[in-house]
Amino acid sequence: MMNLSRRAKGLLLGSRIRSDESHQILLPNQLAAPLFTANMLSSVAYVPQFVLMVLAVAGASAITWGLGVGLAMALLLLLVVGAQQTIMRIYPGGGGDYQVVKRNLGYRTAASVAAGFIVDYALTVALCLSMMVHMFAGIAPDVMRYTPLIAVGILVILLWVSMRGYANSAWATLLPTGFFILVLIVLLVGGAVRAAMGNSIVAVSATYGLTPSARFADGVTHAPAEAVLMLLAGGIAIGATALSGVESVNNGMEILNKPQNRNASRILALSAAVTFGLMVGVVVLAWASRVAFVSDPLRQLPGSPAGYVQQPLLVQLASAVFPDYPFMEWVVMVASALVLMVAAIAVFISFPSLTMHVAKDGFLPQFLSARGRRLTHNGGIFSLAILVVLALVLTDGQPRRLLELYALGSLWAFLIAQIAMVKHWMRHLRAARTPLKIARARSGLALAIFTALLLATVLLLSVIFKFTRGGWASILTVVIITFVLLSFGRHYAKVKKRLADARWQGMAPSRTHALVIVFGLHLPTRRALAYARAARPDAVEAITVNIDDVKTRKLVEAWTKSEMDIPLKVLEAPYRTILGPVVRYIRRIRAHNPRDVVNVYIPQLVVKHWWESIAHNEVTNLMLKKLVREPGVSVTVVPFLLDENQFDMEEVGAAADASEDVIVVTPETPEGDEGER
């Protein structure tokens, strides 16, 4: 059975990778580039669409506004990418914005940056999964009601792909990313050719008319100033979500071939160039086709037919460019869904890498820095999956609700990172002595200041627009996670200091007292008594707690008739609990001589299947948790294998004979040497 389970795990997750074979997880640029490009590129599938939705309240002028906002966000994307490349060059160790903030502004500020990315990574995956479902809204509108359930099903598949290792994840993303890029190129080239031939490119939704809200009934120029500000803030807030994904390459740098920072910089430049080109192309094509995408088609599209269901923006563009080839709508839908899936897989690589750095610094549990059978950070992968499920449940899997929470954390992290870079360049400027170094420091400082001011403006507008629409929840979550990270940091620092300050007093226990807990007269109890005697304590006692008078009487009678040469002591339990009488008895023993050590031996059944453990050892586990907190008490659990045939003894023997590397460190071994093998 054990061999079958191991083979099934190997078939499902792949064979184990040794720690000294970590080069197997490193990816060449040909595989890593499509993976990380998809994370940025996926924004093309939804950002222009929701920018138009927000701006639709302005009526027909929304198309022109959408063009301006789209181009502005594309340029901001290039600026942030340039800032990230600077960080990669100066801080090549990975960890991205978290590392640069930690080194320049301190651990507390870095914790808030990590919290911002943690929130946005979870929202990225949730948004990608929900958009995968909503890509087919036009052909299967009834399915949208089950978005959270379908998204969780897709999430399970992503978990499986991620657990199989980085290389498998990268191979799974190669074709979908290339397919999406090819489809968009065909779409944009088709639109350009159609326009060059003098054929009109008009989306069906453009023929329905677009009704503005009451505030914009007389046009944008006559609207109240606060309404125009909110319109601009909304467009920029949604457009800024295109920036999410820029940090993924930096955070996931550890899986790249060396030199990692140089390869990461090249991949980021390629990703930015492709995303910028396709984003601008889609925005211009949307403007040329006068496509409309609104939140309430029945009210805002007065000419739409009864029962009209909106198609996603890219699908509408495909219909406008290829009106005689309806299959292109399906091609665009499938390509968009695939690239969104790839973007989610990329996050399952970047998120665990970030939490690994944070955990190594002591701000998260240490298990998040451990690697699994395929050298993946399984703790981070499962943690991300839990956060994604929470986001899907709380937002009902609605893309618009997710977008109203999205990007605030990333914008905060980008802003703080640029402030950290300002401090970095100011320090270098003070230390510079040659004209070249002074010029380099000044140019870097100017870029960091300009980027910080621009990001601060975008963040402020995003908060203005999103705060009352659910953004407050995102901000509150970042604050809570920051507090949790700092709490872990204080705890680990306290433990480290306590262990460092602890001094051995050199006083050995005066006597050792063995106490065997008896649940019945059977083989596990006899083995526990044998273990207790083998330790040669000064005294051995067997005790049981009287919960049921009839059972206790039978146990005492059986004990008396047996050949046991140790008397059985019965502790009364007036409140029918085992822990209380045992703890009081131990404290009474130590009260007579505080230097005595009491070693409690507890027999424990080891069952074959995990579900069988539910029926056993509840009292044992409770007793173990309680007694380890008692001073002067040590606990020894004596396992009894209920079915010893569950283990393959031939395999155990083979493992014992295997020539594994064993390091023997002797007192004469100099520090840093490997010792004898």
Short mmCIF file of all heavy atoms in Angstrom, two decimals, residues 32-94:
data_model
loop_
_atom_site.label_atom_id
_atom_site.label_comp_id
_atom_site.label_asym_id
_atom_site.label_seq_id
_atom_site.Cartn_x
_atom_site.Cartn_y
_atom_site.Cartn_z
N ALA A 32 11.13 31.12 -19.46
CA ALA A 32 10.71 32.08 -18.44
C ALA A 32 10.01 33.29 -19.04
O ALA A 32 9.08 33.84 -18.44
CB ALA A 32 11.91 32.53 -17.61
N ALA A 33 10.44 33.70 -20.23
CA ALA A 33 9.87 34.91 -20.85
C ALA A 33 8.37 34.78 -21.10
O ALA A 33 7.60 35.68 -20.72
CB ALA A 33 10.61 35.25 -22.14
N PRO A 34 7.88 33.69 -21.71
CA PRO A 34 6.42 33.58 -21.89
C PRO A 34 5.66 33.55 -20.58
O PRO A 34 4.56 34.10 -20.48
CB PRO A 34 6.26 32.26 -22.66
CG PRO A 34 7.57 32.01 -23.29
CD PRO A 34 8.59 32.57 -22.36
N LEU A 35 6.26 32.92 -19.56
CA LEU A 35 5.59 32.83 -18.27
C LEU A 35 5.37 34.20 -17.64
O LEU A 35 4.25 34.57 -17.27
CB LEU A 35 6.43 31.94 -17.34
CG LEU A 35 5.93 31.79 -15.90
CD1 LEU A 35 4.62 31.04 -15.87
CD2 LEU A 35 6.98 31.06 -15.06
N PHE A 36 6.44 34.99 -17.53
CA PHE A 36 6.32 36.29 -16.89
C PHE A 36 5.68 37.33 -17.80
O PHE A 36 5.04 38.28 -17.32
CB PHE A 36 7.70 36.76 -16.43
CG PHE A 36 8.24 35.98 -15.27
CD1 PHE A 36 9.38 35.21 -15.40
CD2 PHE A 36 7.60 35.99 -14.05
CE1 PHE A 36 9.88 34.48 -14.34
CE2 PHE A 36 8.09 35.27 -12.97
CZ PHE A 36 9.23 34.52 -13.12
N THR A 37 5.83 37.17 -19.10
CA THR A 37 5.18 38.09 -20.03
C THR A 37 3.66 38.00 -19.89
O THR A 37 2.96 39.01 -19.94
CB THR A 37 5.60 37.80 -21.47
OG1 THR A 37 7.01 37.99 -21.60
CG2 THR A 37 4.88 38.71 -22.46
N ALA A 38 3.17 36.78 -19.70
CA ALA A 38 1.72 36.59 -19.58
C ALA A 38 1.15 37.33 -18.39
O ALA A 38 0.01 37.80 -18.44
CB ALA A 38 1.41 35.09 -19.47
N ASN A 39 1.94 37.45 -17.33
CA ASN A 39 1.44 38.14 -16.14
C ASN A 39 1.15 39.61 -16.43
O ASN A 39 0.15 40.16 -15.94
CB ASN A 39 2.46 38.01 -15.01
CG ASN A 39 1.83 38.22 -13.65
OD1 ASN A 39 0.62 38.35 -13.51
ND2 ASN A 39 2.65 38.24 -12.62
N MET A 40 2.00 40.25 -17.19
CA MET A 40 1.75 41.63 -17.59
C MET A 40 0.76 41.72 -18.75
O MET A 40 -0.11 42.58 -18.79
CB MET A 40 3.06 42.32 -17.98
CG MET A 40 4.06 42.46 -16.86
SD MET A 40 5.66 43.11 -17.42
CE MET A 40 5.14 44.66 -18.13
N LEU A 41 0.89 40.79 -19.68
CA LEU A 41 0.09 40.82 -20.89
C LEU A 41 -1.38 40.57 -20.62
O LEU A 41 -2.25 41.04 -21.37
CB LEU A 41 0.64 39.77 -21.87
CG LEU A 41 0.15 39.81 -23.31
CD1 LEU A 41 0.48 41.15 -23.94
CD2 LEU A 41 0.80 38.67 -24.09
N SER A 42 -1.69 39.83 -19.56
CA SER A 42 -3.08 39.50 -19.28
C SER A 42 -3.92 40.75 -19.04
O SER A 42 -5.15 40.73 -19.24
CB SER A 42 -3.17 38.58 -18.05
OG SER A 42 -2.65 39.24 -16.90
N SER A 43 -3.28 41.85 -18.62
CA SER A 43 -4.04 43.08 -18.37
C SER A 43 -4.68 43.61 -19.65
O SER A 43 -5.67 44.34 -19.60
CB SER A 43 -3.13 44.14 -17.76
OG SER A 43 -2.06 44.47 -18.63
N VAL A 44 -4.12 43.26 -20.81
CA VAL A 44 -4.71 43.70 -22.08
C VAL A 44 -6.11 43.12 -22.25
O VAL A 44 -6.97 43.71 -22.91
CB VAL A 44 -3.81 43.29 -23.26
CG1 VAL A 44 -4.41 43.71 -24.59
CG2 VAL A 44 -2.42 43.89 -23.10
N ALA A 45 -6.37 41.97 -21.61
CA ALA A 45 -7.66 41.30 -21.77
C ALA A 45 -8.77 41.96 -20.97
O ALA A 45 -9.95 41.73 -21.27
CB ALA A 45 -7.52 39.83 -21.36
N TYR A 46 -8.41 42.78 -19.97
CA TYR A 46 -9.49 43.34 -19.16
C TYR A 46 -9.34 44.84 -18.85
O TYR A 46 -10.34 45.52 -18.61
CB TYR A 46 -9.63 42.58 -17.84
CG TYR A 46 -8.40 42.52 -16.98
CD1 TYR A 46 -8.07 43.56 -16.13
CD2 TYR A 46 -7.56 41.41 -17.01
CE1 TYR A 46 -6.93 43.50 -15.34
CE2 TYR A 46 -6.43 41.34 -16.23
CZ TYR A 46 -6.12 42.39 -15.40
OH TYR A 46 -4.99 42.34 -14.61
N VAL A 47 -8.14 45.39 -18.85
CA VAL A 47 -7.98 46.80 -18.47
C VAL A 47 -8.71 47.75 -19.42
O VAL A 47 -9.51 48.59 -18.97
CB VAL A 47 -6.48 47.17 -18.36
CG1 VAL A 47 -6.32 48.68 -18.23
CG2 VAL A 47 -5.88 46.50 -17.13
N PRO A 48 -8.50 47.69 -20.77
CA PRO A 48 -9.25 48.61 -21.64
C PRO A 48 -10.76 48.46 -21.49
O PRO A 48 -11.51 49.44 -21.55
CB PRO A 48 -8.78 48.21 -23.04
CG PRO A 48 -7.46 47.55 -22.85
CD PRO A 48 -7.58 46.83 -21.54
N GLN A 49 -11.19 47.23 -21.28
CA GLN A 49 -12.63 46.97 -21.15
C GLN A 49 -13.23 47.69 -19.96
O GLN A 49 -14.25 48.38 -20.08
CB GLN A 49 -12.83 45.45 -21.02
CG GLN A 49 -14.22 45.01 -20.63
CD GLN A 49 -14.33 43.50 -20.61
OE1 GLN A 49 -14.01 42.84 -21.59
NE2 GLN A 49 -14.79 42.94 -19.49
N PHE A 50 -12.58 47.59 -18.81
CA PHE A 50 -13.15 48.20 -17.61
C PHE A 50 -12.87 49.69 -17.52
O PHE A 50 -13.60 50.42 -16.84
CB PHE A 50 -12.64 47.46 -16.37
CG PHE A 50 -13.27 46.10 -16.22
CD1 PHE A 50 -12.57 44.95 -16.53
CD2 PHE A 50 -14.57 45.98 -15.77
CE1 PHE A 50 -13.15 43.70 -16.41
CE2 PHE A 50 -15.16 44.73 -15.64
CZ PHE A 50 -14.45 43.59 -15.97
N VAL A 51 -11.84 50.16 -18.20
CA VAL A 51 -11.64 51.61 -18.30
C VAL A 51 -12.81 52.23 -19.05
O VAL A 51 -13.39 53.26 -18.64
CB VAL A 51 -10.31 51.94 -19.00
CG1 VAL A 51 -10.26 53.42 -19.38
CG2 VAL A 51 -9.14 51.60 -18.09
N LEU A 52 -13.21 51.60 -20.16
CA LEU A 52 -14.36 52.10 -20.91
C LEU A 52 -15.64 52.01 -20.09
O LEU A 52 -16.51 52.89 -20.18
CB LEU A 52 -14.52 51.30 -22.21
CG LEU A 52 -13.53 51.60 -23.33
CD1 LEU A 52 -13.82 50.73 -24.55
CD2 LEU A 52 -13.57 53.07 -23.72
N MET A 53 -15.77 50.97 -19.27
CA MET A 53 -16.96 50.84 -18.44
C MET A 53 -17.08 52.00 -17.46
O MET A 53 -18.16 52.57 -17.26
CB MET A 53 -16.94 49.51 -17.67
CG MET A 53 -18.11 49.35 -16.71
SD MET A 53 -17.98 47.90 -15.65
CE MET A 53 -18.39 46.62 -16.82
N VAL A 54 -15.95 52.36 -16.84
CA VAL A 54 -15.96 53.45 -15.87
C VAL A 54 -16.24 54.78 -16.56
O VAL A 54 -17.00 55.63 -16.06
CB VAL A 54 -14.63 53.50 -15.10
CG1 VAL A 54 -14.54 54.76 -14.24
CG2 VAL A 54 -14.50 52.26 -14.22
N LEU A 55 -15.64 54.99 -17.74
CA LEU A 55 -15.78 56.26 -18.45
C LEU A 55 -17.11 56.37 -19.19
O LEU A 55 -17.44 57.45 -19.69
CB LEU A 55 -14.63 56.43 -19.43
CG LEU A 55 -13.22 56.49 -18.83
CD1 LEU A 55 -12.18 56.60 -19.94
CD2 LEU A 55 -13.08 57.65 -17.86
N ALA A 56 -17.85 55.26 -19.29
CA ALA A 56 -19.10 55.27 -20.06
C ALA A 56 -20.12 56.25 -19.52
O ALA A 56 -21.04 56.65 -20.24
CB ALA A 56 -19.69 53.86 -20.12
N VAL A 57 -20.00 56.66 -18.25
CA VAL A 57 -20.96 57.62 -17.68
C VAL A 57 -20.86 58.96 -18.38
O VAL A 57 -21.79 59.78 -18.30
CB VAL A 57 -20.72 57.80 -16.17
CG1 VAL A 57 -20.97 56.50 -15.43
CG2 VAL A 57 -19.31 58.31 -15.90
N ALA A 58 -19.77 59.23 -19.09
CA ALA A 58 -19.61 60.50 -19.80
C ALA A 58 -20.23 60.46 -21.18
O ALA A 58 -20.16 61.45 -21.92
CB ALA A 58 -18.13 60.85 -19.91
N GLY A 59 -20.80 59.32 -21.58
CA GLY A 59 -21.44 59.24 -22.89
C GLY A 59 -20.45 58.98 -24.00
O GLY A 59 -19.44 58.29 -23.82
N ALA A 60 -20.72 59.56 -25.15
CA ALA A 60 -19.91 59.28 -26.34
C ALA A 60 -18.46 59.71 -26.19
O ALA A 60 -17.55 59.15 -26.80
CB ALA A 60 -20.53 59.97 -27.56
N SER A 61 -18.22 60.73 -25.37
CA SER A 61 -16.84 61.19 -25.17
C SER A 61 -15.99 60.20 -24.41
O SER A 61 -14.78 60.37 -24.29
CB SER A 61 -16.84 62.54 -24.44
OG SER A 61 -17.48 62.42 -23.18
N ALA A 62 -16.61 59.14 -23.87
CA ALA A 62 -15.86 58.12 -23.13
C ALA A 62 -14.82 57.46 -24.02
O ALA A 62 -13.74 57.06 -23.55
CB ALA A 62 -16.81 57.07 -22.57
N ILE A 63 -15.11 57.33 -25.32
CA ILE A 63 -14.17 56.68 -26.23
C ILE A 63 -12.87 57.48 -26.32
O ILE A 63 -11.76 56.93 -26.22
CB ILE A 63 -14.79 56.52 -27.63
CG1 ILE A 63 -16.13 55.77 -27.54
CG2 ILE A 63 -13.85 55.80 -28.56
CD1 ILE A 63 -16.02 54.38 -27.01
N THR A 64 -13.01 58.79 -26.46
CA THR A 64 -11.81 59.65 -26.54
C THR A 64 -11.06 59.66 -25.21
O THR A 64 -9.82 59.60 -25.17
CB THR A 64 -12.21 61.07 -26.94
OG1 THR A 64 -12.94 61.03 -28.17
CG2 THR A 64 -10.98 61.95 -27.10
N TRP A 65 -11.81 59.77 -24.11
CA TRP A 65 -11.18 59.72 -22.80
C TRP A 65 -10.46 58.39 -22.60
O TRP A 65 -9.37 58.34 -22.02
CB TRP A 65 -12.23 59.93 -21.70
CG TRP A 65 -12.56 61.36 -21.46
CD1 TRP A 65 -13.26 62.20 -22.28
CD2 TRP A 65 -12.19 62.14 -20.32
NE1 TRP A 65 -13.36 63.45 -21.72
CE2 TRP A 65 -12.71 63.44 -20.51
CE3 TRP A 65 -11.49 61.87 -19.15
CZ2 TRP A 65 -12.55 64.46 -19.60
CZ3 TRP A 65 -11.33 62.89 -18.22
CH2 TRP A 65 -11.85 64.17 -18.45
N GLY A 66 -11.10 57.32 -23.05
CA GLY A 66 -10.48 56.00 -22.92
C GLY A 66 -9.17 55.90 -23.66
O GLY A 66 -8.20 55.30 -23.19
N LEU A 67 -9.12 56.53 -24.85
CA LEU A 67 -7.88 56.54 -25.61
C LEU A 67 -6.78 57.26 -24.83
O LEU A 67 -5.65 56.77 -24.73
CB LEU A 67 -8.11 57.22 -26.95
CG LEU A 67 -6.87 57.40 -27.84
CD1 LEU A 67 -6.31 56.05 -28.26
CD2 LEU A 67 -7.21 58.25 -29.07
N GLY A 68 -7.10 58.41 -24.26
CA GLY A 68 -6.11 59.17 -23.51
C GLY A 68 -5.62 58.45 -22.28
O GLY A 68 -4.42 58.38 -22.01
N VAL A 69 -6.57 57.88 -21.50
CA VAL A 69 -6.19 57.15 -20.29
C VAL A 69 -5.37 55.92 -20.64
O VAL A 69 -4.36 55.61 -19.99
CB VAL A 69 -7.44 56.77 -19.48
CG1 VAL A 69 -7.09 55.80 -18.36
CG2 VAL A 69 -8.12 58.00 -18.93
N GLY A 70 -5.77 55.21 -21.69
CA GLY A 70 -5.04 54.00 -22.07
C GLY A 70 -3.61 54.30 -22.47
O GLY A 70 -2.67 53.60 -22.05
N LEU A 71 -3.42 55.34 -23.26
CA LEU A 71 -2.06 55.70 -23.68
C LEU A 71 -1.23 56.18 -22.49
O LEU A 71 -0.04 55.86 -22.38
CB LEU A 71 -2.12 56.79 -24.76
CG LEU A 71 -2.75 56.38 -26.09
CD1 LEU A 71 -2.81 57.57 -27.05
CD2 LEU A 71 -1.98 55.22 -26.72
N ALA A 72 -1.86 56.94 -21.58
CA ALA A 72 -1.14 57.43 -20.39
C ALA A 72 -0.70 56.27 -19.51
O ALA A 72 0.44 56.25 -19.00
CB ALA A 72 -2.02 58.40 -19.61
N MET A 73 -1.57 55.28 -19.32
CA MET A 73 -1.21 54.14 -18.49
C MET A 73 -0.14 53.27 -19.15
O MET A 73 0.71 52.69 -18.48
CB MET A 73 -2.45 53.30 -18.18
CG MET A 73 -3.45 53.97 -17.25
SD MET A 73 -2.71 54.41 -15.64
CE MET A 73 -2.43 56.18 -15.85
N ALA A 74 -0.18 53.19 -20.47
CA ALA A 74 0.87 52.44 -21.18
C ALA A 74 2.23 53.11 -20.99
O ALA A 74 3.25 52.43 -20.78
CB ALA A 74 0.52 52.34 -22.66
N LEU A 75 2.27 54.43 -21.03
CA LEU A 75 3.53 55.15 -20.79
C LEU A 75 3.98 54.99 -19.34
O LEU A 75 5.18 54.84 -19.07
CB LEU A 75 3.35 56.63 -21.15
CG LEU A 75 3.15 56.94 -22.64
CD1 LEU A 75 2.82 58.41 -22.84
CD2 LEU A 75 4.40 56.56 -23.44
N LEU A 76 3.02 55.03 -18.41
CA LEU A 76 3.38 54.83 -17.00
C LEU A 76 3.94 53.44 -16.79
O LEU A 76 4.86 53.23 -15.98
CB LEU A 76 2.15 55.05 -16.13
CG LEU A 76 2.35 54.86 -14.61
CD1 LEU A 76 3.39 55.86 -14.08
CD2 LEU A 76 1.03 55.03 -13.87
N LEU A 77 3.41 52.47 -17.52
CA LEU A 77 3.93 51.11 -17.44
C LEU A 77 5.41 51.07 -17.81
O LEU A 77 6.22 50.44 -17.12
CB LEU A 77 3.12 50.20 -18.37
CG LEU A 77 3.64 48.77 -18.56
CD1 LEU A 77 3.51 47.98 -17.26
CD2 LEU A 77 2.88 48.06 -19.68
N LEU A 78 5.78 51.75 -18.89
CA LEU A 78 7.19 51.78 -19.29
C LEU A 78 8.05 52.44 -18.23
O LEU A 78 9.18 52.00 -17.96
CB LEU A 78 7.34 52.52 -20.62
CG LEU A 78 6.73 51.84 -21.85
CD1 LEU A 78 7.03 52.67 -23.09
CD2 LEU A 78 7.25 50.42 -22.01
N LEU A 79 7.54 53.49 -17.59
CA LEU A 79 8.30 54.19 -16.56
C LEU A 79 8.54 53.30 -15.35
O LEU A 79 9.67 53.21 -14.82
CB LEU A 79 7.56 55.46 -16.14
CG LEU A 79 8.27 56.35 -15.11
CD1 LEU A 79 9.56 56.89 -15.69
CD2 LEU A 79 7.36 57.49 -14.68
N VAL A 80 7.51 52.59 -14.91
CA VAL A 80 7.65 51.70 -13.75
C VAL A 80 8.57 50.53 -14.09
O VAL A 80 9.37 50.08 -13.26
CB VAL A 80 6.26 51.19 -13.30
CG1 VAL A 80 6.40 50.14 -12.20
CG2 VAL A 80 5.42 52.36 -12.81
N VAL A 81 8.49 50.04 -15.32
CA VAL A 81 9.39 48.96 -15.74
C VAL A 81 10.83 49.44 -15.69
O VAL A 81 11.74 48.72 -15.23
CB VAL A 81 9.02 48.48 -17.15
CG1 VAL A 81 10.14 47.60 -17.73
CG2 VAL A 81 7.73 47.68 -17.10
N GLY A 82 11.10 50.66 -16.14
CA GLY A 82 12.45 51.21 -16.06
C GLY A 82 12.94 51.31 -14.63
O GLY A 82 14.10 51.01 -14.33
N ALA A 83 12.04 51.72 -13.73
CA ALA A 83 12.41 51.80 -12.31
C ALA A 83 12.72 50.41 -11.76
O ALA A 83 13.66 50.23 -10.97
CB ALA A 83 11.28 52.45 -11.52
N GLN A 84 11.94 49.39 -12.16
CA GLN A 84 12.19 48.03 -11.70
C GLN A 84 13.52 47.50 -12.21
O GLN A 84 14.23 46.78 -11.50
CB GLN A 84 11.05 47.11 -12.16
CG GLN A 84 9.75 47.29 -11.40
CD GLN A 84 9.84 46.80 -9.96
OE1 GLN A 84 10.32 45.70 -9.70
NE2 GLN A 84 9.39 47.61 -9.03
N GLN A 85 13.86 47.84 -13.44
CA GLN A 85 15.14 47.39 -13.98
C GLN A 85 16.31 48.01 -13.21
O GLN A 85 17.34 47.36 -13.00
CB GLN A 85 15.24 47.73 -15.47
CG GLN A 85 14.37 46.86 -16.34
CD GLN A 85 14.63 47.10 -17.81
OE1 GLN A 85 14.64 48.24 -18.26
NE2 GLN A 85 14.85 46.03 -18.57
N THR A 86 16.14 49.24 -12.78
CA THR A 86 17.18 49.88 -11.95
C THR A 86 17.34 49.13 -10.64
O THR A 86 18.47 48.88 -10.17
CB THR A 86 16.81 51.34 -11.68
OG1 THR A 86 16.66 52.03 -12.93
CG2 THR A 86 17.89 52.03 -10.86
N ILE A 87 16.23 48.75 -10.04
CA ILE A 87 16.28 48.00 -8.78
C ILE A 87 16.97 46.65 -9.00
O ILE A 87 17.78 46.20 -8.18
CB ILE A 87 14.86 47.82 -8.22
CG1 ILE A 87 14.30 49.17 -7.76
CG2 ILE A 87 14.85 46.82 -7.05
CD1 ILE A 87 12.87 49.12 -7.29
N MET A 88 16.65 45.98 -10.10
CA MET A 88 17.28 44.69 -10.40
C MET A 88 18.79 44.82 -10.53
O MET A 88 19.54 43.96 -10.06
CB MET A 88 16.72 44.12 -11.71
CG MET A 88 15.31 43.59 -11.64
SD MET A 88 14.84 42.95 -13.25
CE MET A 88 13.13 42.55 -12.95
N ARG A 89 19.22 45.91 -11.17
CA ARG A 89 20.66 46.08 -11.38
C ARG A 89 21.39 46.37 -10.07
O ARG A 89 22.49 45.87 -9.84
CB ARG A 89 20.88 47.24 -12.38
CG ARG A 89 22.33 47.41 -12.78
CD ARG A 89 22.53 48.53 -13.76
NE ARG A 89 22.30 49.85 -13.17
CZ ARG A 89 21.25 50.60 -13.42
NH1 ARG A 89 20.30 50.18 -14.25
NH2 ARG A 89 21.12 51.78 -12.85
N ILE A 90 20.76 47.15 -9.19
CA ILE A 90 21.44 47.56 -7.96
C ILE A 90 21.28 46.53 -6.85
O ILE A 90 22.18 46.31 -6.05
CB ILE A 90 20.90 48.93 -7.50
CG1 ILE A 90 21.16 49.98 -8.58
CG2 ILE A 90 21.53 49.36 -6.19
CD1 ILE A 90 20.56 51.32 -8.28
N TYR A 91 20.13 45.85 -6.83
CA TYR A 91 19.86 44.84 -5.80
C TYR A 91 19.54 43.52 -6.51
O TYR A 91 18.37 43.15 -6.68
CB TYR A 91 18.69 45.27 -4.91
CG TYR A 91 18.96 46.54 -4.15
CD1 TYR A 91 18.58 47.78 -4.67
CD2 TYR A 91 19.59 46.51 -2.92
CE1 TYR A 91 18.85 48.95 -3.98
CE2 TYR A 91 19.86 47.68 -2.22
CZ TYR A 91 19.48 48.90 -2.76
OH TYR A 91 19.74 50.06 -2.07
N PRO A 92 20.58 42.80 -6.92
CA PRO A 92 20.38 41.61 -7.77
C PRO A 92 19.98 40.35 -7.01
O PRO A 92 19.82 39.30 -7.61
CB PRO A 92 21.75 41.42 -8.41
CG PRO A 92 22.71 41.96 -7.39
CD PRO A 92 22.01 43.11 -6.73
N GLY A 93 19.80 40.42 -5.72
CA GLY A 93 19.54 39.20 -4.95
C GLY A 93 18.12 38.70 -5.00
O GLY A 93 17.79 37.68 -4.39
N GLY A 94 17.21 39.37 -5.72
CA GLY A 94 15.81 38.97 -5.75
C GLY A 94 15.05 39.63 -4.61
O GLY A 94 15.61 40.28 -3.73
#
